[in-house]
Amino acid sequence: MRWPNWFRKRAVTPRTRPFDEDALEEPAPPTLEQSVEEGMLLADYATRMAVKNHIVVDTIQQDNPFDPARHTAQAAEMLRELADEQDQAAERASEARLAVVGLGGDATHPHDYRDIDTSNLALREAAARALADGLRAKADSEQELLTIVERARQDAWDEVGRAIQAGLDAFSGVEALKANYEEERPARLRLLIWRDLAKLEEERGGY
């Protein structure tokens, strides 16, 4: 027996409210300490990567023995360059802040600042100046420089190790299909290093 349509339970369509952007909570503005900390992390990473590349070129391509003192100068130079960039950023923020005092209206593009942006520009200026001071303090600290170089050395070794392992995998070919490949790989890695180092020594020794 087929029941009439008016006995059937109708699906209830949930009502949704239209999106109200004004109902969203304003994110808390970053503090000066947070801004400086983030900037220091980025600067540390950039410096470490630059020193890592220098270590790879100096020790592998140019065959110089690893000596931390050979790389601290470059770390210090990089930190001072980044500090100079922050000085310039602080000057730009200061000029923009002074130029928009009392200026109302709506911005027409992201860099069209108005009076309402003065507090944000002041924060940028203060953060850039504090960051520049912190970077120069690092550049003047032998211990900080040695720490950067040591971390860069570890990054360099990891990068070289991955390259060797990739070469080992390519050299293995069908051997990688064996069930005991993972167990044999450390021994194969040593064999590959010994073979390549012997070949390199022979080429440089001229025999």
Side-chain angles (χ1 to χ4, degrees):
M1 178 179 178
R2 191 171 183 182
W3 294 98
N5 289 337
W6 44 273
F7 270 115
R8 295 182 181 176
K9 189 175 181 180
R10 295 182 179 180
V12 178
T13 303
R15 294 183 178 181
T16 57
R17 295 180 179 178
F19 177 72
D20 184 7
E21 186 176 354
D22 295 332
L24 296 175
E25 293 184 5
E26 283 287 332
T31 64
L32 176 61
E33 291 75 14
Q34 290 171 336
S35 299
V36 174
E37 182 181 5
E38 181 179 353
M40 289 296 288
L41 288 173
L42 293 172
D44 179 76
Y45 178 78
T47 303
R48 211 171 73 238
M49 291 302 99
V51 175
K52 178 209 70 173
N53 293 336
H54 189 261
I55 290 173
V56 170
V57 171
D58 188 62
T59 58
I60 295 180
Q61 295 185 13
Q62 298 180 0
D63 198 27
N64 292 314
F66 175 76
D67 179 5
R70 293 178 61 85
H71 310 288
T72 53
Q74 195 207 5
E77 181 182 358
M78 181 71 176
L79 290 169
R80 292 192 177 99
E81 286 181 7
L82 293 173
D84 290 342
E85 291 179 6
Q86 291 304 310
D87 282 338
Q88 296 169 14
E91 287 301 320
R92 291 193 298 269
S94 176
E95 292 173 1
R97 177 177 56 81
L98 295 175
V100 300
V101 172
L103 181 63
D106 296 328
T108 57
H109 56 80
H111 299 289
D112 183 18
Y113 301 116
R114 304 291 164 151
D115 185 76
I116 195 174
D117 299 311
T118 53
S119 60
N120 184 37
L121 290 168
L123 174 63
R124 291 187 193 179
E125 178 185 354
R129 296 196 189 283
L131 184 54
D133 292 341
L135 291 172
R136 289 195 175 93
K138 267 196 169 189
D140 293 336
S141 170
E142 187 69 17
Q143 186 57 49
E144 290 282 359
L145 295 176
L146 288 173
T147 299
I148 291 173
V149 170
E150 172 56 23
R151 293 177 65 193
R153 184 195 66 79
Q154 295 174 7
D155 291 334
W157 175 244
D158 289 344
E159 183 174 293
V160 172
R162 286 194 299 270
I164 292 176
Q165 202 160 40
L168 174 63
D169 290 340
F171 173 71
S172 313
V174 295
E175 296 295 322
L177 300 177
K178 289 185 177 180
N180 61 345
Y181 172 71
E182 289 297 330
E183 298 178 3
E184 295 179 355
R185 185 155 64 169
R188 293 180 181 278
L189 178 59
R190 290 193 296 272
L191 176 62
L192 180 66
I193 293 174
W194 293 335
R195 185 197 64 179
D196 287 352
L197 289 179
K199 182 178 179 182
L200 182 63
E201 183 178 1
E202 180 178 345
E203 289 175 353
R204 290 182 176 173
Y207 61 90

